[in-house]
Amino acid sequence: MSAFVHPDEIRSRFSAALSAMYRAEVPQYGELLTLVAEVNAQALKADPAGAERLAAAGELARLSEERHGAIRVGTADELATIARAFAVMGMAPVSYYNLAPAGVPVHSTAFRPVDPAALARNPFRVFCSLLRLELIEDNALRQEAAAALARRDIFTPGARALIETAETAGGLDEDQADRFVAELLETFRWHAEATVSAATYERLVAAHRLIADVVSFKGPHINHLTPRTLDIDAAQAAMPERGITPKETIEGPPARACPILLRQTSFKALQEAIAFPGADGAVQGVHTARFGEIEQRGCALTPAGRALYDAALASKDFAALPDDWTALRRTGLAWFRYRATPQGLAARAETADLEALITLGHVVAEPITYEDFLPVSAAGIFQSNLGAEARGTAYAVDPAKADFEQALGRSVLDEMTLYQAEQDASVAATLKALGLNTATA
């Protein structure tokens, strides 16, 4: 029997294939990748110490691989099947995001690797949103949308068969892995032919542009891919010089000496030609939804840090959130990964106190990169690319996490639990390397 291809390798192949496909579909994306590469090179040159820190933490090697994508699905079956497909690639659903309070009729999760080693090999992640049909107020339109979604299958028979094979056999061999990537890519491909009439499409747009985007096509075309930059302000400033029109503001926290969480910007959504079915042949129209996005990832904050950040976001005053790594660590506001230094390994440590060991130069603490998303920022990106008319009032609904997890077919993982586990594991490994009893830490 052929050996199975590691899920990390399947994820890498799929990420590369998706990037090549999106680059062909959205030419400005290629220009965006070039711009980000140049900005990153300049940032590393300007900050040798920062570059060294990134290299030591294993962040530098993955920088050029960094991508996140976003898709929007319409039904529970679509969500559950995409979850099974991502599982073949070693990706699990992390966190629940309710975007309805921000006026976007979806709720979401992020599929990503959760093991630090898997993240280091390839950190590809996909923000996946499920349309909330119950938020369509017009009953007749809601039924029409549900019928349109019921008529489609966003997965090829080959993709469904290979997902089943991976689950029953425990993995995929070389040939199966390559076919799986090719088959699944069809789910993410742009289809210019609408599945609803021009009149229905306009009624869906009137309800919400995002509803029209999800319901009206053969599949959940990838609506953006996101390279990671080390200096999003420089990238934002340089975009117009490259013929790329950025959104007005950068989503997320302000620029800081010690970056936290996630900052995002994007270029305006493209107008793409679409064909509607009509009695006398195809009716031509345009669709506006797909765009290019850039992100800058900072340090993951603890629950206490997130509470401070949320309060700062509400008040627009970030003074209470320290902009200093040592302060963030000592006050328990951010997650850190610890490791023993060569000096520490050579010395005979007499204390298991981490702060004392750091002061002695025996241990270093590196901020853990935030791997997840901010619902307010996600909504801001969505709205900026759906048009001003989409920035309406919030939907008056409670979060529907239980409904989402039922559709998903499993519970979402808690991001804070994952960061806590990574920090705890690094502490235990560091003290063990120094010959110290972890029970006394």
Short mmCIF file of all heavy atoms in Angstrom, two decimals, residues 260-324:
data_model
loop_
_atom_site.label_atom_id
_atom_site.label_comp_id
_atom_site.label_asym_id
_atom_site.label_seq_id
_atom_site.Cartn_x
_atom_site.Cartn_y
_atom_site.Cartn_z
N ILE A 260 -0.04 43.89 18.03
CA ILE A 260 -0.94 42.93 18.66
C ILE A 260 -2.05 42.52 17.70
O ILE A 260 -2.40 43.26 16.77
CB ILE A 260 -1.59 43.51 19.95
CG1 ILE A 260 -2.34 44.81 19.64
CG2 ILE A 260 -0.54 43.72 21.04
CD1 ILE A 260 -3.21 45.33 20.78
N LEU A 261 -2.56 41.33 17.90
CA LEU A 261 -3.72 40.82 17.18
C LEU A 261 -3.56 40.91 15.67
O LEU A 261 -2.60 40.39 15.12
CB LEU A 261 -4.99 41.52 17.67
CG LEU A 261 -5.28 41.35 19.17
CD1 LEU A 261 -6.45 42.23 19.61
CD2 LEU A 261 -5.56 39.89 19.50
N LEU A 262 -4.47 41.59 15.00
CA LEU A 262 -4.53 41.54 13.54
C LEU A 262 -4.93 42.89 12.98
O LEU A 262 -5.89 43.51 13.43
CB LEU A 262 -5.56 40.48 13.12
CG LEU A 262 -5.83 40.29 11.64
CD1 LEU A 262 -4.61 39.73 10.92
CD2 LEU A 262 -7.02 39.34 11.44
N ARG A 263 -4.15 43.36 11.98
CA ARG A 263 -4.52 44.57 11.24
C ARG A 263 -4.72 44.16 9.79
O ARG A 263 -3.96 43.35 9.25
CB ARG A 263 -3.44 45.65 11.35
CG ARG A 263 -3.13 46.03 12.80
CD ARG A 263 -2.07 47.12 12.85
NE ARG A 263 -2.62 48.42 12.45
CZ ARG A 263 -1.90 49.40 11.91
NH1 ARG A 263 -0.61 49.24 11.65
NH2 ARG A 263 -2.47 50.56 11.57
N GLN A 264 -5.76 44.70 9.14
CA GLN A 264 -6.11 44.28 7.77
C GLN A 264 -6.49 45.49 6.92
O GLN A 264 -7.10 46.44 7.41
CB GLN A 264 -7.31 43.32 7.80
CG GLN A 264 -7.06 42.01 8.50
CD GLN A 264 -8.35 41.23 8.69
OE1 GLN A 264 -9.17 41.55 9.53
NE2 GLN A 264 -8.53 40.17 7.90
N THR A 265 -6.12 45.42 5.65
CA THR A 265 -6.62 46.37 4.68
C THR A 265 -6.89 45.60 3.39
O THR A 265 -6.55 44.41 3.28
CB THR A 265 -5.64 47.53 4.43
OG1 THR A 265 -6.29 48.53 3.63
CG2 THR A 265 -4.36 47.06 3.73
N SER A 266 -7.50 46.25 2.42
CA SER A 266 -7.82 45.55 1.17
C SER A 266 -7.92 46.55 0.04
O SER A 266 -8.04 47.76 0.26
CB SER A 266 -9.15 44.79 1.31
OG SER A 266 -10.23 45.69 1.46
N PHE A 267 -7.87 46.03 -1.19
CA PHE A 267 -8.21 46.90 -2.31
C PHE A 267 -9.67 46.68 -2.68
O PHE A 267 -10.28 45.68 -2.32
CB PHE A 267 -7.26 46.74 -3.50
CG PHE A 267 -7.25 45.40 -4.21
CD1 PHE A 267 -8.35 44.94 -4.92
CD2 PHE A 267 -6.09 44.62 -4.23
CE1 PHE A 267 -8.31 43.73 -5.61
CE2 PHE A 267 -6.04 43.42 -4.92
CZ PHE A 267 -7.15 42.97 -5.61
N LYS A 268 -10.23 47.67 -3.35
CA LYS A 268 -11.66 47.66 -3.65
C LYS A 268 -12.05 46.43 -4.47
O LYS A 268 -11.28 45.94 -5.30
CB LYS A 268 -12.03 48.93 -4.42
CG LYS A 268 -11.80 50.22 -3.64
CD LYS A 268 -12.77 50.35 -2.49
CE LYS A 268 -12.64 51.70 -1.81
NZ LYS A 268 -13.57 51.85 -0.69
N ALA A 269 -13.26 45.98 -4.24
CA ALA A 269 -13.76 44.81 -4.96
C ALA A 269 -13.84 45.08 -6.47
O ALA A 269 -14.12 46.20 -6.90
CB ALA A 269 -15.14 44.43 -4.43
N LEU A 270 -13.57 44.04 -7.22
CA LEU A 270 -13.59 44.14 -8.68
C LEU A 270 -15.02 44.03 -9.21
O LEU A 270 -15.86 43.36 -8.62
CB LEU A 270 -12.76 43.01 -9.29
CG LEU A 270 -11.33 42.82 -8.78
CD1 LEU A 270 -10.74 41.58 -9.42
CD2 LEU A 270 -10.50 44.04 -9.07
N GLN A 271 -15.26 44.63 -10.35
CA GLN A 271 -16.50 44.39 -11.08
C GLN A 271 -16.23 43.30 -12.09
O GLN A 271 -15.33 43.43 -12.93
CB GLN A 271 -16.98 45.66 -11.79
CG GLN A 271 -17.78 46.58 -10.91
CD GLN A 271 -18.73 47.48 -11.71
OE1 GLN A 271 -18.53 47.68 -12.90
NE2 GLN A 271 -19.75 47.99 -11.06
N GLU A 272 -16.97 42.20 -11.98
CA GLU A 272 -16.76 41.07 -12.88
C GLU A 272 -18.06 40.78 -13.64
O GLU A 272 -19.15 40.83 -13.07
CB GLU A 272 -16.30 39.84 -12.09
CG GLU A 272 -14.94 40.06 -11.43
CD GLU A 272 -14.53 38.91 -10.52
OE1 GLU A 272 -15.14 38.78 -9.45
OE2 GLU A 272 -13.61 38.16 -10.89
N ALA A 273 -17.91 40.48 -14.92
CA ALA A 273 -19.08 40.21 -15.76
C ALA A 273 -19.72 38.88 -15.35
O ALA A 273 -19.03 37.90 -15.06
CB ALA A 273 -18.66 40.16 -17.22
N ILE A 274 -21.04 38.87 -15.33
CA ILE A 274 -21.77 37.63 -15.07
C ILE A 274 -22.90 37.50 -16.09
O ILE A 274 -23.35 38.49 -16.68
CB ILE A 274 -22.35 37.57 -13.64
CG1 ILE A 274 -23.17 38.83 -13.31
CG2 ILE A 274 -21.27 37.36 -12.62
CD1 ILE A 274 -23.87 38.76 -11.97
N ALA A 275 -23.34 36.26 -16.29
CA ALA A 275 -24.43 35.99 -17.22
C ALA A 275 -25.58 35.36 -16.44
O ALA A 275 -25.38 34.39 -15.70
CB ALA A 275 -23.96 35.04 -18.32
N PHE A 276 -26.76 35.94 -16.58
CA PHE A 276 -27.96 35.41 -15.94
C PHE A 276 -28.74 34.56 -16.93
O PHE A 276 -28.81 34.89 -18.12
CB PHE A 276 -28.85 36.55 -15.45
CG PHE A 276 -28.24 37.41 -14.40
CD1 PHE A 276 -27.71 38.64 -14.72
CD2 PHE A 276 -28.18 36.98 -13.08
CE1 PHE A 276 -27.14 39.45 -13.75
CE2 PHE A 276 -27.60 37.77 -12.11
CZ PHE A 276 -27.08 39.01 -12.43
N PRO A 277 -29.36 33.47 -16.47
CA PRO A 277 -30.20 32.69 -17.38
C PRO A 277 -31.45 33.49 -17.76
O PRO A 277 -32.03 34.19 -16.92
CB PRO A 277 -30.58 31.46 -16.54
CG PRO A 277 -30.44 31.92 -15.12
CD PRO A 277 -29.33 32.92 -15.10
N GLY A 278 -31.81 33.43 -19.03
CA GLY A 278 -32.99 34.15 -19.50
C GLY A 278 -33.72 33.34 -20.55
O GLY A 278 -33.16 32.41 -21.14
N ALA A 279 -34.96 33.67 -20.79
CA ALA A 279 -35.77 32.92 -21.76
C ALA A 279 -35.18 32.99 -23.16
O ALA A 279 -35.28 32.03 -23.94
CB ALA A 279 -37.19 33.47 -21.76
N ASP A 280 -34.55 34.10 -23.49
CA ASP A 280 -33.98 34.28 -24.84
C ASP A 280 -32.46 34.25 -24.82
O ASP A 280 -31.80 34.98 -25.57
CB ASP A 280 -34.48 35.60 -25.43
CG ASP A 280 -35.99 35.67 -25.51
OD1 ASP A 280 -36.59 34.65 -25.88
OD2 ASP A 280 -36.56 36.72 -25.16
N GLY A 281 -31.88 33.45 -23.95
CA GLY A 281 -30.42 33.38 -23.86
C GLY A 281 -29.94 34.12 -22.62
O GLY A 281 -30.73 34.55 -21.78
N ALA A 282 -28.62 34.26 -22.51
CA ALA A 282 -28.02 34.85 -21.32
C ALA A 282 -28.23 36.36 -21.28
O ALA A 282 -28.16 37.05 -22.29
CB ALA A 282 -26.52 34.54 -21.30
N VAL A 283 -28.51 36.85 -20.07
CA VAL A 283 -28.63 38.29 -19.82
C VAL A 283 -27.37 38.72 -19.10
O VAL A 283 -27.00 38.15 -18.06
CB VAL A 283 -29.87 38.59 -18.95
CG1 VAL A 283 -29.96 40.08 -18.64
CG2 VAL A 283 -31.13 38.10 -19.64
N GLN A 284 -26.68 39.73 -19.64
CA GLN A 284 -25.40 40.13 -19.08
C GLN A 284 -25.59 41.08 -17.90
O GLN A 284 -26.49 41.91 -17.87
CB GLN A 284 -24.53 40.82 -20.15
CG GLN A 284 -24.17 39.92 -21.32
CD GLN A 284 -23.43 38.66 -20.89
OE1 GLN A 284 -22.47 38.71 -20.13
NE2 GLN A 284 -23.91 37.51 -21.36
N GLY A 285 -24.72 40.93 -16.91
CA GLY A 285 -24.73 41.82 -15.75
C GLY A 285 -23.35 41.89 -15.13
O GLY A 285 -22.39 41.34 -15.69
N VAL A 286 -23.23 42.55 -14.00
CA VAL A 286 -21.94 42.64 -13.30
C VAL A 286 -22.13 42.27 -11.84
O VAL A 286 -23.21 42.42 -11.27
CB VAL A 286 -21.31 44.04 -13.41
CG1 VAL A 286 -20.91 44.35 -14.84
CG2 VAL A 286 -22.24 45.11 -12.85
N HIS A 287 -21.04 41.80 -11.26
CA HIS A 287 -21.02 41.34 -9.87
C HIS A 287 -19.82 41.97 -9.20
O HIS A 287 -18.73 42.02 -9.77
CB HIS A 287 -20.91 39.81 -9.86
CG HIS A 287 -20.77 39.22 -8.48
ND1 HIS A 287 -21.76 39.30 -7.55
CD2 HIS A 287 -19.74 38.54 -7.91
CE1 HIS A 287 -21.36 38.68 -6.44
NE2 HIS A 287 -20.14 38.21 -6.65
N THR A 288 -20.00 42.47 -7.99
CA THR A 288 -18.91 43.11 -7.25
C THR A 288 -18.78 42.46 -5.89
O THR A 288 -19.65 42.65 -5.04
CB THR A 288 -19.19 44.63 -7.08
OG1 THR A 288 -19.48 45.19 -8.36
CG2 THR A 288 -17.99 45.34 -6.48
N ALA A 289 -17.72 41.69 -5.70
CA ALA A 289 -17.54 41.07 -4.38
C ALA A 289 -16.09 40.71 -4.10
O ALA A 289 -15.65 40.77 -2.95
CB ALA A 289 -18.40 39.82 -4.25
N ARG A 290 -15.33 40.34 -5.12
CA ARG A 290 -14.00 39.77 -4.85
C ARG A 290 -12.95 40.87 -4.78
O ARG A 290 -12.94 41.80 -5.58
CB ARG A 290 -13.67 38.73 -5.90
CG ARG A 290 -14.76 37.65 -5.95
CD ARG A 290 -14.30 36.38 -6.54
NE ARG A 290 -13.74 36.52 -7.86
CZ ARG A 290 -12.88 35.66 -8.40
NH1 ARG A 290 -12.49 34.62 -7.71
NH2 ARG A 290 -12.44 35.84 -9.62
N PHE A 291 -12.03 40.72 -3.84
CA PHE A 291 -11.07 41.79 -3.59
C PHE A 291 -9.74 41.22 -3.12
O PHE A 291 -9.60 40.01 -2.92
CB PHE A 291 -11.64 42.78 -2.55
CG PHE A 291 -12.06 42.13 -1.26
CD1 PHE A 291 -11.19 42.05 -0.18
CD2 PHE A 291 -13.34 41.61 -1.11
CE1 PHE A 291 -11.59 41.46 1.01
CE2 PHE A 291 -13.75 41.03 0.09
CZ PHE A 291 -12.86 40.95 1.15
N GLY A 292 -8.77 42.10 -2.93
CA GLY A 292 -7.46 41.69 -2.43
C GLY A 292 -7.25 42.24 -1.04
O GLY A 292 -7.61 43.39 -0.75
N GLU A 293 -6.67 41.44 -0.17
CA GLU A 293 -6.52 41.84 1.23
C GLU A 293 -5.07 41.62 1.67
O GLU A 293 -4.37 40.73 1.16
CB GLU A 293 -7.47 41.02 2.10
CG GLU A 293 -7.50 41.42 3.56
CD GLU A 293 -8.51 40.59 4.35
OE1 GLU A 293 -9.69 41.00 4.42
OE2 GLU A 293 -8.13 39.53 4.88
N ILE A 294 -4.62 42.45 2.60
CA ILE A 294 -3.30 42.31 3.22
C ILE A 294 -3.52 42.28 4.73
O ILE A 294 -4.38 42.98 5.25
CB ILE A 294 -2.37 43.48 2.88
CG1 ILE A 294 -2.23 43.68 1.38
CG2 ILE A 294 -0.98 43.28 3.50
CD1 ILE A 294 -1.44 44.93 1.01
N GLU A 295 -2.72 41.49 5.43
CA GLU A 295 -2.83 41.48 6.88
C GLU A 295 -1.47 41.60 7.54
O GLU A 295 -0.43 41.21 6.97
CB GLU A 295 -3.51 40.18 7.36
CG GLU A 295 -2.71 38.92 7.08
CD GLU A 295 -3.45 37.65 7.47
OE1 GLU A 295 -4.69 37.71 7.59
OE2 GLU A 295 -2.80 36.60 7.64
N GLN A 296 -1.46 42.17 8.74
CA GLN A 296 -0.26 42.19 9.59
C GLN A 296 -0.65 41.54 10.90
O GLN A 296 -1.57 41.99 11.58
CB GLN A 296 0.22 43.62 9.82
CG GLN A 296 1.48 43.67 10.71
CD GLN A 296 2.02 45.09 10.87
OE1 GLN A 296 1.65 46.00 10.14
NE2 GLN A 296 2.92 45.27 11.83
N ARG A 297 0.03 40.47 11.24
CA ARG A 297 -0.31 39.72 12.46
C ARG A 297 0.65 40.08 13.59
O ARG A 297 1.87 40.09 13.41
CB ARG A 297 -0.28 38.21 12.18
CG ARG A 297 -1.44 37.79 11.28
CD ARG A 297 -1.65 36.30 11.17
NE ARG A 297 -2.89 36.06 10.43
CZ ARG A 297 -4.08 35.92 10.99
NH1 ARG A 297 -4.20 35.96 12.30
NH2 ARG A 297 -5.16 35.73 10.25
N GLY A 298 0.06 40.37 14.74
CA GLY A 298 0.85 40.67 15.93
C GLY A 298 0.71 39.58 16.96
O GLY A 298 0.41 38.43 16.65
N CYS A 299 0.89 39.95 18.22
CA CYS A 299 0.88 38.99 19.31
C CYS A 299 -0.54 38.65 19.74
O CYS A 299 -1.43 39.50 19.74
CB CYS A 299 1.64 39.60 20.49
SG CYS A 299 1.79 38.52 21.93
N ALA A 300 -0.76 37.39 20.11
CA ALA A 300 -2.05 36.97 20.65
C ALA A 300 -2.21 37.48 22.07
O ALA A 300 -1.28 37.39 22.88
CB ALA A 300 -2.15 35.44 20.63
N LEU A 301 -3.37 38.04 22.37
CA LEU A 301 -3.65 38.54 23.71
C LEU A 301 -4.41 37.50 24.53
O LEU A 301 -5.22 36.74 24.00
CB LEU A 301 -4.48 39.83 23.64
CG LEU A 301 -3.83 41.03 22.93
CD1 LEU A 301 -4.76 42.24 23.01
CD2 LEU A 301 -2.47 41.36 23.53
N THR A 302 -4.17 37.49 25.84
CA THR A 302 -4.90 36.63 26.76
C THR A 302 -6.32 37.18 26.94
O THR A 302 -6.63 38.28 26.48
CB THR A 302 -4.20 36.62 28.13
OG1 THR A 302 -4.23 37.96 28.65
CG2 THR A 302 -2.75 36.15 28.03
N PRO A 303 -7.19 36.44 27.63
CA PRO A 303 -8.53 36.99 27.88
C PRO A 303 -8.49 38.37 28.55
O PRO A 303 -9.28 39.26 28.20
CB PRO A 303 -9.18 35.94 28.78
CG PRO A 303 -8.54 34.65 28.34
CD PRO A 303 -7.11 35.01 28.04
N ALA A 304 -7.57 38.57 29.48
CA ALA A 304 -7.45 39.88 30.14
C ALA A 304 -7.00 40.94 29.13
O ALA A 304 -7.49 42.07 29.13
CB ALA A 304 -6.45 39.80 31.29
N GLY A 305 -6.08 40.56 28.25
CA GLY A 305 -5.62 41.49 27.22
C GLY A 305 -6.71 41.82 26.23
O GLY A 305 -6.86 42.98 25.80
N ARG A 306 -7.51 40.81 25.85
CA ARG A 306 -8.61 41.04 24.91
C ARG A 306 -9.67 41.96 25.53
O ARG A 306 -10.26 42.80 24.84
CB ARG A 306 -9.25 39.71 24.49
CG ARG A 306 -8.50 38.99 23.39
CD ARG A 306 -8.37 39.81 22.10
NE ARG A 306 -9.64 40.06 21.48
CZ ARG A 306 -10.21 39.26 20.58
NH1 ARG A 306 -9.60 38.15 20.20
NH2 ARG A 306 -11.38 39.57 20.04
N ALA A 307 -9.92 41.79 26.83
CA ALA A 307 -10.89 42.66 27.50
C ALA A 307 -10.41 44.11 27.45
O ALA A 307 -11.20 45.04 27.20
CB ALA A 307 -11.10 42.21 28.94
N LEU A 308 -9.12 44.32 27.68
CA LEU A 308 -8.55 45.67 27.60
C LEU A 308 -8.63 46.22 26.18
O LEU A 308 -8.95 47.39 25.97
CB LEU A 308 -7.08 45.66 28.06
CG LEU A 308 -6.77 46.05 29.50
CD1 LEU A 308 -5.26 46.09 29.72
CD2 LEU A 308 -7.38 47.40 29.86
N TYR A 309 -8.33 45.34 25.20
CA TYR A 309 -8.39 45.76 23.80
C TYR A 309 -9.81 46.15 23.40
O TYR A 309 -10.03 47.18 22.76
CB TYR A 309 -7.88 44.65 22.88
CG TYR A 309 -8.12 44.94 21.42
CD1 TYR A 309 -7.33 45.86 20.73
CD2 TYR A 309 -9.17 44.32 20.72
CE1 TYR A 309 -7.56 46.16 19.39
CE2 TYR A 309 -9.40 44.61 19.38
CZ TYR A 309 -8.60 45.52 18.73
OH TYR A 309 -8.84 45.82 17.40
N ASP A 310 -10.79 45.33 23.79
CA ASP A 310 -12.18 45.62 23.44
C ASP A 310 -12.64 46.94 24.06
O ASP A 310 -13.36 47.73 23.43
CB ASP A 310 -13.09 44.47 23.88
CG ASP A 310 -12.88 43.21 23.07
OD1 ASP A 310 -12.28 43.30 21.97
OD2 ASP A 310 -13.28 42.12 23.53
N ALA A 311 -12.21 47.19 25.31
CA ALA A 311 -12.56 48.45 25.97
C ALA A 311 -11.89 49.62 25.25
O ALA A 311 -12.49 50.68 25.06
CB ALA A 311 -12.13 48.41 27.44
N ALA A 312 -10.63 49.42 24.83
CA ALA A 312 -9.91 50.48 24.12
C ALA A 312 -10.54 50.75 22.77
O ALA A 312 -10.64 51.90 22.33
CB ALA A 312 -8.45 50.06 23.94
N LEU A 313 -11.02 49.68 22.12
CA LEU A 313 -11.67 49.83 20.82
C LEU A 313 -12.95 50.66 20.95
O LEU A 313 -13.25 51.52 20.11
CB LEU A 313 -11.99 48.44 20.24
CG LEU A 313 -12.29 48.34 18.76
CD1 LEU A 313 -11.09 48.72 17.93
CD2 LEU A 313 -12.73 46.91 18.42
N ALA A 314 -13.67 50.42 22.03
CA ALA A 314 -14.93 51.13 22.25
C ALA A 314 -14.69 52.61 22.57
O ALA A 314 -15.44 53.49 22.13
CB ALA A 314 -15.72 50.47 23.37
N SER A 315 -13.62 52.86 23.33
CA SER A 315 -13.35 54.25 23.74
C SER A 315 -12.40 54.99 22.81
O SER A 315 -12.20 56.20 22.96
CB SER A 315 -12.74 54.24 25.15
OG SER A 315 -11.46 53.64 25.13
N LYS A 316 -11.80 54.26 21.88
CA LYS A 316 -10.79 54.80 20.96
C LYS A 316 -9.55 55.30 21.71
O LYS A 316 -8.79 56.11 21.21
CB LYS A 316 -11.36 55.95 20.11
CG LYS A 316 -12.64 55.63 19.37
CD LYS A 316 -12.45 54.52 18.36
CE LYS A 316 -13.75 54.24 17.59
NZ LYS A 316 -13.65 53.03 16.76
N ASP A 317 -9.34 54.79 22.92
CA ASP A 317 -8.18 55.17 23.74
C ASP A 317 -7.41 53.91 24.10
O ASP A 317 -7.86 53.10 24.91
CB ASP A 317 -8.65 55.89 25.00
CG ASP A 317 -7.49 56.33 25.89
OD1 ASP A 317 -6.32 56.16 25.47
OD2 ASP A 317 -7.76 56.80 27.01
N PHE A 318 -6.22 53.74 23.50
CA PHE A 318 -5.44 52.53 23.70
C PHE A 318 -4.33 52.70 24.74
O PHE A 318 -3.45 51.85 24.87
CB PHE A 318 -4.84 52.07 22.36
CG PHE A 318 -5.84 51.46 21.43
CD1 PHE A 318 -6.67 52.26 20.66
CD2 PHE A 318 -5.99 50.08 21.36
CE1 PHE A 318 -7.61 51.71 19.81
CE2 PHE A 318 -6.93 49.51 20.52
CZ PHE A 318 -7.75 50.32 19.74
N ALA A 319 -4.37 53.80 25.48
CA ALA A 319 -3.31 54.10 26.43
C ALA A 319 -3.19 53.04 27.54
O ALA A 319 -2.10 52.81 28.08
CB ALA A 319 -3.55 55.47 27.05
N ALA A 320 -4.30 52.40 27.88
CA ALA A 320 -4.28 51.42 28.97
C ALA A 320 -3.62 50.10 28.57
O ALA A 320 -3.31 49.27 29.42
CB ALA A 320 -5.70 51.15 29.46
N LEU A 321 -3.39 49.90 27.27
CA LEU A 321 -2.80 48.66 26.78
C LEU A 321 -1.30 48.89 26.57
O LEU A 321 -0.90 49.60 25.64
CB LEU A 321 -3.47 48.25 25.47
CG LEU A 321 -3.38 46.79 25.02
CD1 LEU A 321 -3.91 45.84 26.08
CD2 LEU A 321 -4.14 46.59 23.72
N PRO A 322 -0.44 48.31 27.41
CA PRO A 322 1.00 48.59 27.33
C PRO A 322 1.57 48.28 25.95
O PRO A 322 1.21 47.28 25.34
CB PRO A 322 1.61 47.66 28.38
CG PRO A 322 0.49 47.33 29.31
CD PRO A 322 -0.76 47.35 28.48
N ASP A 323 2.47 49.15 25.49
CA ASP A 323 3.13 48.94 24.20
C ASP A 323 4.57 48.55 24.45
O ASP A 323 5.52 49.18 23.97
CB ASP A 323 3.04 50.22 23.36
CG ASP A 323 3.37 49.96 21.88
OD1 ASP A 323 3.54 48.78 21.51
OD2 ASP A 323 3.47 50.93 21.12
N ASP A 324 4.73 47.49 25.23
CA ASP A 324 6.05 47.04 25.66
C ASP A 324 5.95 45.54 25.96
O ASP A 324 5.08 45.11 26.71
CB ASP A 324 6.46 47.82 26.93
CG ASP A 324 7.74 47.29 27.55
OD1 ASP A 324 8.82 47.71 27.10
OD2 ASP A 324 7.64 46.44 28.47
#
